[in-house]
Amino acid sequence: MAARVAILVSGGGSNMLALIDSMTGDHPARPALVLSNDPAAPALARAQARGVTVAAVDHRPYGADRAAFEAQLLRPLMAVRPDIVCLAGFMRVLTGEFVARWQGRMLNIHPSLLPLHKGLHTHRRALQAGDTEHGCSVHEVTAALDDGPILGQARLQVQPDDTAETLAARVLTLEHRLYPAVLRRFAGGDRTRLDLV
Ligand code: GRF
């Protein structure tokens, strides 16, 4: 029986697409839901075009009440009973209580070589820090932001003429290779770290 994967998105969903398109054939997982905090997220139409069930819970009416938002976010998730939850460009911070429901079964992709540059604006910060290497990380989600066990990394050499924009584009290409590779391994029960070269 294939593992059921729910993917949480906020925007374009390029990582979501890479994950969906990878879950075919003898892959041990299949997409069960794409869920967004933004009903207008382009990712939703892109998932529907691939026949994946979608849902959205607008976070804005809940303001700072994260628990109230998450109580609604939980409903479509519980309806599909995911074995694995993948955050893919999901831009809301989740509470420890919510994360605890999928402890050890929730993954995220972050555009830096963690533990470097947790949080936002990672490409600009890598340039400002003079990093010669940069890249992306897939990690297990824990209550602490961008802090869980690392399951995979992909890295590149920062070029002298790189800007935050060119770096973001090059890292995104790495993300689209790394996340599907880690998910396939993880869904097959293998948590050994994957370093893409
Ligand atoms: C990208 O900046 C990516 O680095 C990060 O989330 C953002 C949107 O990704 N993981 P996506 O195209 O929505 O997957």
Side-chain angles (χ1 to χ4, degrees):
M1 186 70 179
R4 303 165 60 81
V5 175
I7 307 172
L8 271 58
V9 297
S10 295
S14 68
N15 274 291
M16 169 211 70
L17 279 188
L19 293 175
I20 289 175
D21 291 346
S22 74
M23 287 186 264
T24 59
D26 65 350
H27 191 297
R30 288 294 185 274
L33 175 70
V34 168
L35 175 58
S36 181
N37 63 292
D38 179 356
L44 295 171
R46 299 172 88 180
Q48 272 183 312
R50 281 166 172 71
V52 179
T53 304
V54 300
V57 177
D58 191 341
H59 68 275
R60 288 167 296 189
Y62 301 96
D65 189 346
R66 289 186 191 281
F69 165 60
E70 290 177 354
Q72 296 308 311
L73 200 67
L74 204 49
R75 295 157 66 101
L77 277 171
M78 299 313 275
V80 300
R81 304 179 324 283
D83 301 297
I84 299 169
V85 178
C86 289
L87 308 184
F90 187 68
M91 302 307 279
R92 304 301 296 169
V93 174
L94 295 167
T95 64
E97 291 75 19
F98 188 90
V99 167
R101 289 176 177 272
W102 286 279
Q103 189 76 38
R105 300 186 293 139
M106 183 180 277
L107 308 183
N108 181 44
I109 189 155
H110 181 75
S112 80
L113 294 176
L114 291 172
L116 292 174
H117 310 312
K118 297 178 183 179
L120 298 173
H121 312 303
T122 61
H123 311 297
R124 170 160 56 81
R125 290 161 56 199
L127 290 172
Q128 286 171 343
D131 296 351
T132 54
E133 274 197 333
H134 185 44
C136 51
S137 307
V138 174
H139 63 95
E140 286 185 30
V141 176
T142 59
L145 186 68
D146 300 331
D147 193 63
I150 291 176
L151 294 167
Q153 289 195 324
R155 61 190 61 224
L156 52 71
Q157 296 301 310
V158 178
Q159 302 301 323
D161 58 349
D162 262 321
T163 64
E165 291 70 28
T166 61
L167 214 39
R170 294 201 298 123
V171 169
L172 197 57
T173 302
L174 289 183
E175 292 178 38
H176 297 163
R177 289 179 47 216
L178 179 68
Y179 212 170
V182 170
L183 175 61
R184 182 183 184 108
R185 185 180 277 206
F186 187 85
D190 180 353
R191 290 171 185 244
T192 52
R193 176 181 165 133
L194 173 65
D195 283 285
L196 280 191
V197 289

